[in-house]
Structures are given as C-alpha cells and as structure tokens.
Amino acid sequence: MSETLPILYVPSPILRAKAKPVGPGDEERVRALSERMLATMYAAPGIGLAAPQVGELLRLVVIDIGPKEAPTPLVLVNPEVVAESREMAVREEGCLSLPNIFGDVKRPFQVKVRYQALDGSRQEIEGEGLMSACLQHEIDHLNGVLFVDYLSALKRNMLLRRLAKELKMKPA
Ligand code: K1U
Ligand code: ZN
C-alpha cells in the first residue's frame, strides 16, 4: 500500500481554489498521486477524496463506496457532470477536510459524469443515491466548493465556528 498524504482542513485557501485540468505529460505524476490518494482515503476512512484536499490543484478524484471487504477503487481524471436528474435527494454529508462536521445537502438524485481513466481512455459513469452525492461532492472540491456552501449561512457559520474551535483545541 502507498504512503498516505496529509489532508488539508478548512480554512486552507487551497480548498477554495479552482483546480487545473490534468494534461498530456501528467500521466506518471497522476498515477503516483492517485495511488497515494486512495491509500489516504482508505486510511481516513472515507468514500472519496479530491486532489485539492491533499494540496494538489489538479482535477483528479478517487472514490470507493463499496464495502471494505471488496474494494472497488475508482480514479477519475478531469471529471465533469454532463447530465443530472430533475429528481433531488437530501443526504447527510461529511467531509475529510471538515472533520466531525455533518449537514443535510440537497442534490440531484442521479448524475452522469464524463472523465478519463488513468490510461487516458474516455469513460462515463452514472450514479444515483450515495454514488451521485459522492461524485458531486468530489467534483465540487475541484471547483473550490464545500458541502457547507449548500447550507444556510446561519448553519454554515455555526458549523465552521465549531470546527475552528475544535481544531484550535487539538494538540499540534
Ligand atoms: O471528499 C471528502 O471529503 C470525502 C467524503 C465524501 C462524501 C461523504 C458523504 C457524502 C458525499 C461525499 C467522505 O468520505 S466523509 C466520510 C464518510 O462519508 C464515510 C467514512 C467511512 C465510512 C463511510 C462513510
Ligand atoms: Zn469533502
């Protein structure tokens, strides 16, 4: 298993920046980074991770919503939502960059995402329920958007203040 990477927490400005597309020539870097991102996601543990969360402003995401006993890792390079359902669903979300903070987020129940695999091939994936929420949550990270941005200002500020207090209290 690859070495894990440190995860950035709010208010790191990197989490609010727009990530750059992966381009030709990035293959080896992206392959190595995705392995370390998967190791970091499994160790956290989490069901997804976007490159900006480990300090890399690249459009790269890893996801595995499967059971621990049967890992089904997914690496998405330059992912984009190309279709979404009119039907919406509310689901409680967390974020590895906002530890111990949870909130109900309303998103399209189904999405279709276009991306490149590690070998450069063009792929599409359709997800619903948890997979849809996870795809949207991770693609949001590539655009500097966090799940708390979907909450009311009152709720968001309350959660962010609580997080700031908790992180300050943690020993270095
Ligand atoms: O991007 C991230 O911060 C990862 C995040 C993804 C996510 C969670 C919930 C809804 C949408 C997207 C997480 O993985 S938070 C941790 C989590 O959800 C989890 C951890 C262990 C087992 C099951 C879930
Ligand atoms: Zn997140």
Side-chain angles (χ1 to χ4, degrees), residues 7 41 44-50 53 62 64 91-98 101-102 107 130-138 141 147:
I7 295 176
M41 178 189 76
I47 56 172
L49 191 69
Q53 294 180 276
V62 297
D64 190 344
R91 174 177 289 277
E92 186 176 72
E93 296 191 14
C95 180
L96 298 177
S97 296
L98 293 139
I101 297 287
F102 302 92
R107 299 184 187 269
L130 178 61
M131 184 54 139
S132 172
C134 196
L135 285 163
Q136 293 175 73
H137 178 116
E138 300 310 331
H141 272 302
F147 83 81

Short mmCIF file of all heavy atoms in Angstrom, two decimals, residues 7 41 44-50 53 62 64 91-98 101-102 107 130-138 141 147, ligand 1:
data_model
loop_
_atom_site.label_atom_id
_atom_site.label_comp_id
_atom_site.label_asym_id
_atom_site.label_seq_id
_atom_site.Cartn_x
_atom_site.Cartn_y
_atom_site.Cartn_z
N ILE A 7 -4.11 15.47 4.99
CA ILE A 7 -5.33 16.08 4.44
C ILE A 7 -5.44 17.53 4.95
O ILE A 7 -5.25 17.79 6.15
CB ILE A 7 -6.57 15.26 4.86
CG1 ILE A 7 -6.50 13.86 4.23
CG2 ILE A 7 -7.86 15.97 4.46
CD1 ILE A 7 -7.62 12.92 4.64
N MET A 41 -7.47 7.95 1.42
CA MET A 41 -8.93 7.82 1.56
C MET A 41 -9.27 6.59 2.41
O MET A 41 -10.09 6.67 3.32
CB MET A 41 -9.57 7.71 0.17
CG MET A 41 -11.07 7.51 0.21
SD MET A 41 -11.73 7.13 -1.43
CE MET A 41 -11.22 5.42 -1.59
N ALA A 44 -8.41 7.12 6.11
CA ALA A 44 -9.10 8.21 6.85
C ALA A 44 -10.13 7.73 7.89
O ALA A 44 -10.06 8.19 9.05
CB ALA A 44 -9.70 9.21 5.87
N PRO A 45 -11.13 6.90 7.63
CA PRO A 45 -11.52 6.39 6.33
C PRO A 45 -12.55 7.31 5.70
O PRO A 45 -13.26 8.04 6.37
CB PRO A 45 -12.17 5.05 6.68
CG PRO A 45 -12.81 5.28 8.01
CD PRO A 45 -11.96 6.33 8.72
N GLY A 46 -12.61 7.22 4.34
CA GLY A 46 -13.61 8.00 3.61
C GLY A 46 -14.06 7.23 2.39
O GLY A 46 -13.53 6.15 2.09
N ILE A 47 -15.02 7.80 1.67
CA ILE A 47 -15.55 7.15 0.46
C ILE A 47 -15.14 7.93 -0.79
O ILE A 47 -15.48 7.53 -1.90
CB ILE A 47 -17.09 6.99 0.53
CG1 ILE A 47 -17.79 8.33 0.77
CG2 ILE A 47 -17.45 5.98 1.61
CD1 ILE A 47 -19.31 8.26 0.64
N GLY A 48 -14.42 9.03 -0.60
CA GLY A 48 -13.95 9.81 -1.74
C GLY A 48 -12.86 10.75 -1.28
O GLY A 48 -12.67 10.98 -0.07
N LEU A 49 -12.10 11.26 -2.25
CA LEU A 49 -11.07 12.26 -1.95
C LEU A 49 -10.72 12.97 -3.25
O LEU A 49 -10.60 12.34 -4.30
CB LEU A 49 -9.81 11.57 -1.38
CG LEU A 49 -8.74 12.47 -0.79
CD1 LEU A 49 -9.21 13.14 0.51
CD2 LEU A 49 -7.44 11.69 -0.50
N ALA A 50 -10.56 14.29 -3.17
CA ALA A 50 -10.20 15.08 -4.35
C ALA A 50 -8.78 15.63 -4.14
O ALA A 50 -8.38 15.92 -3.00
CB ALA A 50 -11.19 16.23 -4.52
N GLN A 53 -7.69 18.36 -1.71
CA GLN A 53 -7.71 18.05 -0.26
C GLN A 53 -6.33 17.58 0.23
O GLN A 53 -6.09 17.57 1.43
CB GLN A 53 -8.76 16.97 0.04
CG GLN A 53 -10.19 17.44 -0.19
CD GLN A 53 -11.19 16.36 0.12
OE1 GLN A 53 -11.47 15.51 -0.72
NE2 GLN A 53 -11.72 16.37 1.33
N VAL A 62 -10.63 10.39 -6.38
CA VAL A 62 -10.75 8.94 -6.16
C VAL A 62 -12.02 8.69 -5.34
O VAL A 62 -12.38 9.51 -4.49
CB VAL A 62 -9.51 8.32 -5.46
CG1 VAL A 62 -8.28 8.46 -6.33
CG2 VAL A 62 -9.27 8.93 -4.08
N ASP A 64 -14.45 5.27 -3.57
CA ASP A 64 -14.80 3.85 -3.37
C ASP A 64 -15.94 3.81 -2.35
O ASP A 64 -15.71 4.02 -1.16
CB ASP A 64 -13.60 3.04 -2.88
CG ASP A 64 -13.90 1.54 -2.91
OD1 ASP A 64 -15.09 1.17 -3.01
OD2 ASP A 64 -12.94 0.76 -2.84
N ARG A 91 -29.32 14.19 1.63
CA ARG A 91 -28.49 13.17 2.27
C ARG A 91 -27.53 13.88 3.23
O ARG A 91 -27.07 14.98 2.95
CB ARG A 91 -27.72 12.45 1.17
CG ARG A 91 -26.69 11.46 1.63
CD ARG A 91 -26.06 10.77 0.44
NE ARG A 91 -27.01 9.86 -0.20
CZ ARG A 91 -27.24 8.61 0.21
NH1 ARG A 91 -26.59 8.12 1.23
NH2 ARG A 91 -28.11 7.86 -0.42
N GLU A 92 -27.24 13.22 4.33
CA GLU A 92 -26.26 13.79 5.25
C GLU A 92 -24.85 13.58 4.70
O GLU A 92 -24.52 12.47 4.29
CB GLU A 92 -26.37 13.15 6.64
CG GLU A 92 -25.48 13.83 7.64
CD GLU A 92 -25.64 13.28 9.04
OE1 GLU A 92 -25.18 12.15 9.28
OE2 GLU A 92 -26.22 13.98 9.88
N GLU A 93 -24.08 14.65 4.64
CA GLU A 93 -22.71 14.55 4.13
C GLU A 93 -21.70 14.95 5.19
O GLU A 93 -21.98 15.75 6.08
CB GLU A 93 -22.53 15.46 2.89
CG GLU A 93 -23.39 15.02 1.73
CD GLU A 93 -23.07 15.70 0.41
OE1 GLU A 93 -22.00 16.34 0.29
OE2 GLU A 93 -23.90 15.57 -0.51
N GLY A 94 -20.52 14.37 5.04
CA GLY A 94 -19.38 14.77 5.84
C GLY A 94 -18.26 15.13 4.88
O GLY A 94 -18.43 15.02 3.67
N CYS A 95 -17.13 15.55 5.40
CA CYS A 95 -16.01 15.91 4.52
C CYS A 95 -14.73 15.71 5.32
O CYS A 95 -14.64 16.15 6.47
CB CYS A 95 -16.14 17.37 4.08
SG CYS A 95 -14.81 17.90 2.98
N LEU A 96 -13.75 15.07 4.68
CA LEU A 96 -12.49 14.80 5.39
C LEU A 96 -11.74 16.11 5.68
O LEU A 96 -10.86 16.12 6.53
CB LEU A 96 -11.63 13.84 4.57
CG LEU A 96 -12.26 12.46 4.34
CD1 LEU A 96 -11.36 11.59 3.47
CD2 LEU A 96 -12.55 11.75 5.67
N SER A 97 -12.09 17.19 5.00
CA SER A 97 -11.46 18.49 5.25
C SER A 97 -12.22 19.31 6.29
O SER A 97 -11.80 20.42 6.64
CB SER A 97 -11.36 19.29 3.94
OG SER A 97 -10.51 18.61 3.05
N LEU A 98 -13.35 18.76 6.77
CA LEU A 98 -14.15 19.41 7.83
C LEU A 98 -14.48 18.33 8.86
O LEU A 98 -15.62 17.88 8.97
CB LEU A 98 -15.46 19.96 7.24
CG LEU A 98 -15.35 21.11 6.26
CD1 LEU A 98 -16.30 20.94 5.09
CD2 LEU A 98 -15.64 22.41 6.96
N ILE A 101 -17.89 17.31 11.15
CA ILE A 101 -18.96 18.24 10.78
C ILE A 101 -19.86 17.52 9.78
O ILE A 101 -19.37 16.92 8.81
CB ILE A 101 -18.36 19.51 10.11
CG1 ILE A 101 -17.47 20.26 11.09
CG2 ILE A 101 -19.42 20.40 9.52
CD1 ILE A 101 -18.18 21.00 12.17
N PHE A 102 -21.15 17.56 10.01
CA PHE A 102 -22.11 16.89 9.12
C PHE A 102 -23.28 17.83 8.83
O PHE A 102 -23.64 18.65 9.67
CB PHE A 102 -22.62 15.59 9.76
CG PHE A 102 -21.51 14.64 10.11
CD1 PHE A 102 -20.92 14.66 11.38
CD2 PHE A 102 -21.01 13.77 9.15
CE1 PHE A 102 -19.86 13.82 11.68
CE2 PHE A 102 -19.95 12.91 9.44
CZ PHE A 102 -19.37 12.94 10.71
N ARG A 107 -29.18 17.51 -3.41
CA ARG A 107 -28.51 17.46 -4.72
C ARG A 107 -29.35 16.62 -5.68
O ARG A 107 -30.21 15.84 -5.23
CB ARG A 107 -27.15 16.75 -4.60
CG ARG A 107 -26.14 17.40 -3.67
CD ARG A 107 -24.85 16.60 -3.77
NE ARG A 107 -23.83 16.99 -2.82
CZ ARG A 107 -22.90 17.89 -3.04
NH1 ARG A 107 -22.89 18.56 -4.18
NH2 ARG A 107 -21.98 18.15 -2.14
N LEU A 130 -26.05 7.44 -2.99
CA LEU A 130 -24.75 7.78 -2.38
C LEU A 130 -23.68 8.05 -3.45
O LEU A 130 -22.88 8.98 -3.31
CB LEU A 130 -24.31 6.64 -1.45
CG LEU A 130 -22.96 6.82 -0.77
CD1 LEU A 130 -22.94 8.08 0.11
CD2 LEU A 130 -22.58 5.60 0.05
N MET A 131 -23.68 7.24 -4.52
CA MET A 131 -22.66 7.43 -5.56
C MET A 131 -22.82 8.80 -6.22
O MET A 131 -21.83 9.50 -6.48
CB MET A 131 -22.77 6.32 -6.61
CG MET A 131 -21.70 6.41 -7.65
SD MET A 131 -20.04 6.45 -6.94
CE MET A 131 -19.18 5.41 -8.06
N SER A 132 -24.06 9.20 -6.47
CA SER A 132 -24.33 10.51 -7.08
C SER A 132 -23.84 11.63 -6.16
O SER A 132 -23.17 12.57 -6.59
CB SER A 132 -25.83 10.64 -7.34
OG SER A 132 -26.14 11.95 -7.76
N ALA A 133 -24.17 11.51 -4.87
CA ALA A 133 -23.75 12.55 -3.91
C ALA A 133 -22.23 12.62 -3.84
O ALA A 133 -21.65 13.71 -3.79
CB ALA A 133 -24.35 12.25 -2.53
N CYS A 134 -21.60 11.44 -3.84
CA CYS A 134 -20.14 11.41 -3.72
C CYS A 134 -19.48 12.01 -4.97
O CYS A 134 -18.54 12.81 -4.86
CB CYS A 134 -19.69 9.96 -3.49
SG CYS A 134 -18.03 9.86 -2.90
N LEU A 135 -19.97 11.65 -6.15
CA LEU A 135 -19.42 12.23 -7.39
C LEU A 135 -19.55 13.75 -7.36
O LEU A 135 -18.59 14.48 -7.66
CB LEU A 135 -20.18 11.67 -8.61
CG LEU A 135 -19.85 10.23 -9.01
CD1 LEU A 135 -20.95 9.67 -9.93
CD2 LEU A 135 -18.50 10.15 -9.71
N GLN A 136 -20.71 14.25 -6.97
CA GLN A 136 -20.93 15.70 -6.97
C GLN A 136 -20.08 16.38 -5.89
O GLN A 136 -19.50 17.46 -6.14
CB GLN A 136 -22.42 16.00 -6.73
CG GLN A 136 -23.30 15.55 -7.89
CD GLN A 136 -24.77 15.75 -7.57
OE1 GLN A 136 -25.25 16.88 -7.54
NE2 GLN A 136 -25.48 14.66 -7.32
N HIS A 137 -19.99 15.76 -4.73
CA HIS A 137 -19.18 16.31 -3.62
C HIS A 137 -17.71 16.44 -4.06
O HIS A 137 -17.07 17.47 -3.82
CB HIS A 137 -19.33 15.39 -2.41
CG HIS A 137 -18.54 15.76 -1.20
ND1 HIS A 137 -19.14 16.11 -0.01
CD2 HIS A 137 -17.21 15.83 -0.96
CE1 HIS A 137 -18.22 16.38 0.89
NE2 HIS A 137 -17.02 16.21 0.33
N GLU A 138 -17.20 15.39 -4.72
CA GLU A 138 -15.78 15.40 -5.11
C GLU A 138 -15.53 16.40 -6.25
O GLU A 138 -14.52 17.10 -6.26
CB GLU A 138 -15.32 14.00 -5.51
CG GLU A 138 -15.44 12.95 -4.41
CD GLU A 138 -14.84 13.38 -3.09
OE1 GLU A 138 -13.88 14.16 -3.07
OE2 GLU A 138 -15.36 12.92 -2.03
N HIS A 141 -15.23 19.81 -4.99
CA HIS A 141 -13.90 20.14 -4.43
C HIS A 141 -12.98 20.71 -5.51
O HIS A 141 -12.14 21.56 -5.23
CB HIS A 141 -13.24 18.89 -3.84
CG HIS A 141 -13.59 18.62 -2.41
ND1 HIS A 141 -13.36 19.53 -1.40
CD2 HIS A 141 -14.13 17.53 -1.81
CE1 HIS A 141 -13.75 19.01 -0.23
NE2 HIS A 141 -14.23 17.80 -0.45
N PHE A 147 -19.35 21.22 0.94
CA PHE A 147 -20.77 20.89 1.16
C PHE A 147 -21.46 21.92 2.05
O PHE A 147 -22.66 22.16 1.91
CB PHE A 147 -20.93 19.46 1.70
CG PHE A 147 -20.76 19.30 3.19
CD1 PHE A 147 -21.80 19.59 4.06
CD2 PHE A 147 -19.56 18.86 3.71
CE1 PHE A 147 -21.65 19.44 5.43
CE2 PHE A 147 -19.39 18.71 5.08
CZ PHE A 147 -20.45 19.01 5.94
O1 K1U B 1 -14.39 14.39 -0.09
C1 K1U B 1 -14.42 14.06 1.09
O2 K1U B 1 -14.21 14.87 1.97
C2 K1U B 1 -14.75 12.63 1.44
C3 K1U B 1 -16.16 12.46 1.96
C4 K1U B 1 -17.06 12.10 0.77
C5 K1U B 1 -18.54 12.13 0.94
C6 K1U B 1 -19.17 11.75 2.09
C7 K1U B 1 -20.56 11.78 2.18
C8 K1U B 1 -21.33 12.17 1.11
C9 K1U B 1 -20.69 12.59 -0.03
C10 K1U B 1 -19.31 12.55 -0.13
C11 K1U B 1 -16.12 11.34 2.98
O3 K1U B 1 -15.77 10.26 2.68
S1 K1U B 1 -16.61 11.73 4.60
C12 K1U B 1 -16.51 10.16 5.43
C13 K1U B 1 -17.62 9.21 5.08
O4 K1U B 1 -18.60 9.61 4.49
C14 K1U B 1 -17.53 7.78 5.45
C15 K1U B 1 -16.47 7.30 6.16
C16 K1U B 1 -16.41 5.94 6.48
C17 K1U B 1 -17.41 5.09 6.09
C18 K1U B 1 -18.48 5.57 5.39
C19 K1U B 1 -18.54 6.92 5.05
#
